[in-house]
Amino acid sequence: MRDPYSVLGVAKNASETDIKKAFRKLAKKYHPDQNKDDPKAQAQFAEVNQAYEIVGDKEKRGKFDRGEIDGQGKPRFQSHGFEGFSDFQDFGNAGGARGFRGQTGGGGGFGGGGFDDILNDILGGFGGGRRGRTAGAGAGAGPRPGAGAGASAGRATPTKGKNADLVAMVSLEDLINSGKAQVTLPSGKTVNVTIPPGTREGESIRLRGQGFPGENGGTAGDAMVEIRFRKHPLFEVRGNDLVLELPLTLYEAVLGAKVRTPTLGGAVNLNIPAGSSGDKTMRLKGKGLPTKTGHGDLLVKLQIVLPPNADGELETLMKAWRDVTPYKARGPEFD
């Protein structure tokens, strides 16, 4: 595990706000849904989540800065003032260590304690030490004065894991057809999230116990999944309604026509009344997004499109029309 500050690309004195911004930016960048062709995306996404679990938590960040835990949140066993013994491995390899293991309560060295007592003093603060001496410490050996109290104090308190802020990109078709979206959890597992009818973009769905793991037996946090809609080439979302711009030829607008019109549930034939003006809006009921009680509507805005090339006959017709049947397209507010 690399240094979590380096993973998030922030300085060690970065504010909580800057750390959260960096995390959200990287989580979006490496999200597997955004990198389906990159097999490394899931590992990078998990690494970013692990880094934020450390430096995004005030207590864990303090422990990491003081060197008490590593980048994965695991304890680092540090020196307790005994010269020549810097960590647990030093005790296993240092000369003379075998002599400490055989000492009983009446022996000398380190206040008369046995090797297991020394381990208890060092490891007890991390909740991993053995309380009292083992059976191999010798007959008549009992717990040192105050050992029971120290053991109780050494037990770490269960801590609930942090919530995970996730983003689910949802297509409008999936919202209509399946009502589900895929999201990758901090564990790297991908799950389907059911989207309740009527969910608006920007709202969050809570997945209980699917966030970052707790410490010392604590429960996992929750996953807060923010719903965002993928941009659609045809439809614009407006609340529970959809808006579609429907191009029309000039003669369809003047004479009227039946025009094939796409919807999220399949195309329909829309009757265009004769004499329809551009920007006129027609409503197709129930063709919008799901709501708690049904569906929104599809608002179809008519857009008149002139021929792509110059047409002499059309120009002649328009000049005659202008001279014989002029009309106003703009109201007095434009005068």
Side-chain angles (χ1 to χ4, degrees):
M1 178 66 190
R2 292 191 292 146
D3 175 74
Y5 290 105
S6 299
V7 173
L8 296 177
V10 297
K12 288 191 175 183
N13 60 351
S15 66
E16 294 180 10
T17 301
D18 290 339
I19 290 175
K20 187 171 185 178
K21 286 182 179 178
F23 165 70
R24 290 178 67 89
K25 180 179 179 181
L26 291 174
K28 183 177 180 180
K29 177 180 178 182
Y30 293 126
H31 197 285
D33 288 351
Q34 304 282 58
N35 301 272
K36 294 183 178 179
D37 297 329
D38 184 359
K40 297 181 180 179
Q42 182 169 314
Q44 292 170 314
F45 181 73
E47 185 180 41
V48 168
N49 277 322
Q50 177 65 42
Y52 184 65
E53 182 183 357
I54 299 299
V55 299
D57 184 286
K58 187 174 182 180
E59 181 178 352
K60 291 182 183 178
R61 183 182 182 184
K63 289 182 179 181
F64 177 80
D65 291 344
R66 293 190 297 270
E68 296 175 7
I69 60 174
D70 61 16
Q72 292 182 316
K74 297 179 181 178
R76 286 174 172 157
F77 303 116
Q78 298 183 346
S79 171
H80 281 237
F82 303 121
E83 185 177 356
F85 301 98
S86 59
D87 54 23
F88 179 79
Q89 187 63 34
D90 289 334
F91 280 101
N93 295 332
R98 290 184 297 273
F100 297 130
R101 183 176 296 276
Q103 288 178 356
T104 63
F110 297 99
F115 183 74
D116 290 318
D117 292 327
I118 299 173
L119 292 183
N120 186 50
D121 289 339
I122 294 176
L123 303 181
F126 297 101
R130 286 170 282 183
R131 294 182 289 278
R133 300 174 187 160
T134 62
R144 293 179 291 112
S152 298
R155 290 198 190 102
T157 303
T159 304
K160 183 178 180 179
K162 285 179 63 66
N163 289 345
D165 295 324
L166 307 177
V167 175
M169 302 299 296
V170 188
S171 70
L172 299 183
E173 285 81 2
D174 285 343
L175 201 63
I176 287 284
N177 298 322
S178 69
K180 296 181 182 295
Q182 281 194 341
V183 64
T184 301
L185 302 173
S187 62
K189 180 181 178 181
T190 299
V191 298
N192 286 322
V193 179
T194 299
I195 304 173
T199 299
R200 301 286 186 94
E201 186 172 27
E203 294 182 348
S204 293
I205 299 172
R206 182 185 296 271
L207 302 181
R208 298 193 180 277
Q210 299 298 323
F212 293 107
E215 285 189 324
N216 307 311
T219 59
D222 300 334
M224 304 299 297
V225 183
E226 180 181 346
I227 301 300
R228 294 184 187 173
F229 299 152
R230 295 186 189 277
K231 187 175 181 180
H232 198 281
L234 292 178
F235 303 107
E236 174 190 344
V237 178
R238 186 179 296 173
N240 292 319
D241 295 334
L242 296 173
V243 179
L244 169 70
E245 292 187 353
L246 181 65
L248 296 177
T249 62
L250 180 59
Y251 50 83
E252 286 174 330
V254 173
L255 303 176
K258 282 188 176 183
V259 178
R260 188 173 185 273
T261 303
T263 75
L264 288 178
V268 298
N269 288 321
L270 180 63
N271 285 316
I272 307 298
S276 294
S277 298
D279 281 341
K280 176 179 180 178
T281 299
M282 302 182 69
R283 184 184 297 270
L284 292 177
K285 289 188 176 295
K287 297 298 183 180
L289 298 181
T291 68
K292 294 180 179 179
T293 57
H295 286 77
D297 301 332
L298 174 60
L299 307 178
V300 182
K301 296 177 64 175
L302 306 184
Q303 300 290 327
I304 298 176
V305 180
L306 294 178
N309 302 314
D311 188 318
E313 292 185 4
L314 179 61
E315 291 180 2
T316 300
L317 175 61
M318 290 299 102
K319 288 178 181 178
W321 196 355
R322 179 188 61 190
D323 295 337
V324 176
T325 315
Y327 68 97
K328 283 189 174 184
R330 296 166 294 278
E333 65 273 14
F334 287 90
D335 294 339

